[in-house]
């Protein structure tokens, strides 16, 4: 199945870098949310989740995440995403330089770092494994002390500017608040993503001060200090600036989400998936689609959804953690935690709740809701029904307007329907109850007791006819006039006959056509 997350093999190194440090200590006040900035999600994964996946793609010997603000929410999430991550707390000293310094100290306390150390960020979710691999390879193949990832930006704003010498070689990084107007005119920006030699990094950080406009320890001082010490400092400029774009507010988050979705859709289409309208289609990064899948407009595929070859999904369908078998058709359906078998049909207007399993060639039809139920191969629930906590065998049919009455107010109970069963419309199955193989039921049956194999289940009540009721109780109405016309105008008869009332006050005015 196609996936936009294929991790390329790294070239030029035996094993991964000594460490990757993911900076996740920022406050993120511009997001204006009770949820920490880096936990906001795009493409089915938190921003720091994306960063951790990219970091792990390098196969580092160790990975550290530096945290501070909203630690009680951030740390459990980081460890859920990457249980082997080392959690490092930044102290009161502000700045990215200090964040990296405390990470190096914590890693050194375990085992002294030697080799390449990569620094990246928890709010840069579009950085790909391929670009990180290029950064490390460039750094190690050229024997650099420092290598920084850069990009051109048409609106560089508050990004630090990358300044180069006349020959194009790296000179320094100047933070925007400390830059001159001439320096601010530079469009090459510092992404903040670096590869360092561990010894060079350790030595330079000891010299970094907070003597600047922000009063912070800048990590961007390290390249200049390393260059002055005689180490090679290099800048790798990439073409796609979205790779290094961060999100500080919800506007930027939405922009990143849209760009990520375009990237995901393009990858699927190149791998043989037909996406009819990319503008209205959203697919999470962990979704897997086989070749020759067709995705129709207005479709959203989330979580661990898997769609096999020749299946058609949509239009107007949302699936989360759903497995769709080969050749299945799912139309105008909302589903989660379910399995749809090969050649099966679902919808339109179906609701598949967790635990639904539909067998090969089965059908869940219009206005049908299912939950925690197994519907066997070739079996059908065509329309207007609720199937909860049930097992339906193979090649059985559940009539329209059926309800599996599974809850007694305290506990849920299960209904079992056998193979080749034919159930009438408007049936109620009061669980726990079993219907045997080959059984039938009549329309309007309430099944409270087990039905033996091959039996017919009926709930019978004598039908009562009250002649002339409409003429007597709705005189002058359109219905009464129609009745009289059908009898040739004879309004005599059992005028005194009375029957059960409707429970409403008698209305002698003529009915409107819309009543």
């Amino acid at each position: 199945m196609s996936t936009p997350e294929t991790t390329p093999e790294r070239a030029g190194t035996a094993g991964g870098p000594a460490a990757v440090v993911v900076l996740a200590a920022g406050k993120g006040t511009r997001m204006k949310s009770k949820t920490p900035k880096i936990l906001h999600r795009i493409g089915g994964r938190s921003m720091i989740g994306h960063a951790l996946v990219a970091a792990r793609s390098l196969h580092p010997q160790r990975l550290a995440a530096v945290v501070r603000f909203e630690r009680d929410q951030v740390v459990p999430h980081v460890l859920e995403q990457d249980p082997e991550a080392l959690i490092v707390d930044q102290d009161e000293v502000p700045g990215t330089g200090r964040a990296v310094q405390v990470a190096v100290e914590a890693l050194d306390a375990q085992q002294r770092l030697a080799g390449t150390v990569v620094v990246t960020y928890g709010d840069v979710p579009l950085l790909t494994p391929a670009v990180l691999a290029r950064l490390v390879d460039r750094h190690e193949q050229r024997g650099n002390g420092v290598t920084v990832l850069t990009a051109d930006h048409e609106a560089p704003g508050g990004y630090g500017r990358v300044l180069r010498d006349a020959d194009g070689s790296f000179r320094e990084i100047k933070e925007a608040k400390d830059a001159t107007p001439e320096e601010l005119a530079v469009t090459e920006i510092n992404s903040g993503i670096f590869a360092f030699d561990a010894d060079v990094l350790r030595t330079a950080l000891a010299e970094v001060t907070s003597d600047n406009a922000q009063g912070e320890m800048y990590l961007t001082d390290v390249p200049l200090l390393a260059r002055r010490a005689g180490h090679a400092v290099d800048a790798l400029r990439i073409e796609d600036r979205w790779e290094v774009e961060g999100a500080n507010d919800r506007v930027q988050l939405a922009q990143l989400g849209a760009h990520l979705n375009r990237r995901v859709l393009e990858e699927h289409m190149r791998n043989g998936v037909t996406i009819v309208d990319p503008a209205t289609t959203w697919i999470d990064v962990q979704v897997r689609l086989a070749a020759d899948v067709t995705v129709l407009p207005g479709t959203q595929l989330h979580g661990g959804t898997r769609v096999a070859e020749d299946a058609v999904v949509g239009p107007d369908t949302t699936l989360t953690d759903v497995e769709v078998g080969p050749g299945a058709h799912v139309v105008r359906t909302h589903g989660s935690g379910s399995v749809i078998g090969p050649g099966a049909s679902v919808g339109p207007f179906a609701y598949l709740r967790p635990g639904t399993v539909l067998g090969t060639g089965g059908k869940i039809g219009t206005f049908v809701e299912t939950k925690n139920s197994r519907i066997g191969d070739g079996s059908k629930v065509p329309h207007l029904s609720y199937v909860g906590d049930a097992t339906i065998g193979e090649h059985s049919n559940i009539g329209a307007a059926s309800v599996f009455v599974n809850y007694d107010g305290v506990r849920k109970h299960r209904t079992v329907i056998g193979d080749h069963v034919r159930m009438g419309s408007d049936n109620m199955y009061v669980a726990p109850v079993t219907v045997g193989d080959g059984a039938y039921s009549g329309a309007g049956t309430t099944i409270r007791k087990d039905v033996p194999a091959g039996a017919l289940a009926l709930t019978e009540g004598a039908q009562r006819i009250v002649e002339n009721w409409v003429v007597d109780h709705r005189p002058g109405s359109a219905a009464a006039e129609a009745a009289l016309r059908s009898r040739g105008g004879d309004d005599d008869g059992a005028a005194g006959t009375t029957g059960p009332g409707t429970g409403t006050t008698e209305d002698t005015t003529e009915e409107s056509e819309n009543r």
Side-chain angles (χ1 to χ4, degrees):
M1 288 191 174
S2 69
T3 168
E5 288 197 308
T6 301
T7 301
E9 292 295 327
R10 289 205 44 238
T13 58
V20 176
V21 176
V22 180
L23 302 184
K27 196 168 186 178
T29 54
R30 280 179 283 176
M31 200 66 79
K32 291 183 170 57
S33 174
K34 61 180 177 294
T35 300
K37 178 178 78 170
I38 58 175
L39 301 193
H40 282 262
R41 301 172 72 87
I42 59 172
R45 184 183 283 153
S46 67
M47 287 201 287
I48 195 169
H50 287 287
L52 291 168
V53 167
R56 275 297 176 195
S57 74
L58 295 175
H59 307 294
Q61 297 170 34
R62 288 181 284 173
L63 186 149
V66 182
V67 302
R68 177 166 172 76
F69 291 103
E70 298 165 314
R71 184 188 191 280
D72 59 332
Q73 296 182 65
V74 172
V75 170
H77 183 78
V78 169
L79 293 178
E80 179 184 356
Q81 301 296 307
D82 194 322
E84 296 182 2
L86 172 66
I87 302 298
V88 179
D89 289 286
Q90 185 169 356
D91 55 20
E92 299 293 333
V93 181
T96 52
R98 180 55 180 167
V100 174
Q101 190 175 45
V102 296
V104 170
E105 291 170 353
L107 290 164
D108 278 345
Q110 292 182 337
Q111 181 180 350
R112 186 174 177 82
L113 284 169
T116 301
V117 177
V118 175
V119 175
T120 184
Y121 291 82
D123 64 348
V124 183
L126 301 192
L127 184 63
T128 60
V131 165
L132 271 183
R134 284 178 57 198
L135 174 67
V136 173
D137 290 345
R138 169 90 162 239
H139 176 78
E140 295 180 349
Q141 290 172 1
R142 296 193 176 190
N144 294 333
V146 180
T147 308
V148 58
L149 199 62
T150 74
D152 285 313
H153 201 302
E154 64 275 12
Y159 282 102
R161 305 305 199 268
V162 175
L163 307 180
R164 294 179 181 264
D165 290 330
D167 63 359
S169 60
F170 175 88
R171 183 169 86 241
E172 67 175 309
I173 297 169
K174 185 64 71 72
E175 293 294 340
K177 293 187 177 180
D178 299 312
T180 66
E182 293 78 13
E183 291 167 340
L184 288 175
V186 173
T187 59
E188 186 178 3
I189 61 164
N190 164 41
S191 70
I193 299 162
F194 291 89
F196 298 100
D197 175 81
D199 290 334
V200 172
L201 176 63
R202 192 182 291 108
T203 301
L205 283 171
E207 301 178 38
V208 172
T209 70
S210 57
D211 184 16
N212 51 58
Q214 292 287 90
E216 298 180 1
M217 285 183 63
Y218 289 156
L219 183 62
T220 49
D221 287 348
V222 170
L224 181 59
L225 292 169
R227 190 172 185 231
R228 288 175 180 171
H231 300 289
V233 178
D234 195 8
L236 173 62
R237 179 158 37 190
I238 60 173
E239 294 180 358
D240 185 2
R241 58 102 170 167
W242 286 100
E243 294 257 4
V244 297
E245 194 81 22
N248 290 312
D249 59 30
R250 297 183 198 239
V251 173
Q252 293 174 329
L253 184 71
Q255 292 169 344
L256 288 176
H259 189 81
L260 175 61
N261 190 62
R262 285 192 295 271
R263 194 164 77 186
V264 168
L265 297 184
E266 287 173 5
E267 186 71 18
H268 283 303
M269 287 187 282
R270 290 192 182 99
N271 287 332
V273 175
T274 295
I275 297 176
V276 174
D277 185 15
T280 62
T281 302
W282 290 81
I283 299 179
D284 286 353
V285 296
Q286 292 175 288
V287 170
R288 301 290 180 266
L289 306 178
D292 290 318
V293 163
T294 298
V295 181
L296 298 177
T299 294
Q300 300 180 50
L301 303 178
H302 299 303
T305 294
R306 304 286 187 269
V307 185
E309 62 183 4
D310 299 321
V312 178
V313 180
D316 308 322
T317 293
T318 300
L319 303 180
T320 303
D321 299 321
V322 174
E323 179 180 333
V324 180
H329 283 232
V330 185
V331 56
R332 288 191 170 88
T333 291
H334 191 104
S336 61
S338 301
V339 176
I340 299 167
S345 171
V346 179
F349 310 112
Y351 180 24
L352 276 55
R353 293 167 60 189
T356 296
V357 178
L358 177 62
T360 300
K363 180 176 182 178
I364 294 174
T366 309
F367 298 114
V368 173
E369 177 180 346
T370 60
K371 175 193 72 75
N372 191 28
S373 295
R374 301 185 67 90
I375 300 169
D377 296 351
S379 288
K380 300 177 181 180
V381 186
H383 23 234
L384 300 166
S385 296
Y386 169 70
V387 180
D389 296 290
T391 300
I392 299 173
E394 298 182 356
H395 305 288
S396 291
N397 187 83
I398 306 300
S402 292
V403 176
F404 286 64
V405 186
N406 57 340
Y407 185 49
D408 65 5
V410 178
R411 293 173 297 170
K412 298 289 181 71
H413 302 279
R414 198 159 191 86
T415 297
V416 177
I417 307 290
D419 299 337
H420 298 280
V421 169
R422 297 291 180 267
M423 295 282 100
S425 296
D426 196 27
N427 279 195
M428 301 288 124
Y429 305 90
V430 183
V433 71
T434 298
V435 177
D437 294 345
Y440 275 55
S441 71
T445 297
T446 300
I447 298 178
R448 298 178 179 274
K449 298 178 180 180
D450 291 350
V451 179
L456 171 65
L458 298 170
T459 300
E460 291 187 316
Q463 180 173 310
R464 184 178 179 186
I465 304 295
V466 181
E467 294 283 355
N468 299 311
W469 188 92
V470 174
V471 172
D472 292 344
H473 290 79
R474 297 292 184 266
S477 69
E481 294 296 331
L484 289 172
R485 284 195 301 272
S486 71
R487 307 194 314 205
D490 178 15
D491 59 357
D492 294 330
T497 303
T498 60
T502 61
T504 60
T505 303
E506 185 170 277
D507 185 356
T508 59
T509 61
E510 183 171 341
E511 286 186 329
S512 73
E513 291 183 356
N514 294 325
R515 190 162 177 179

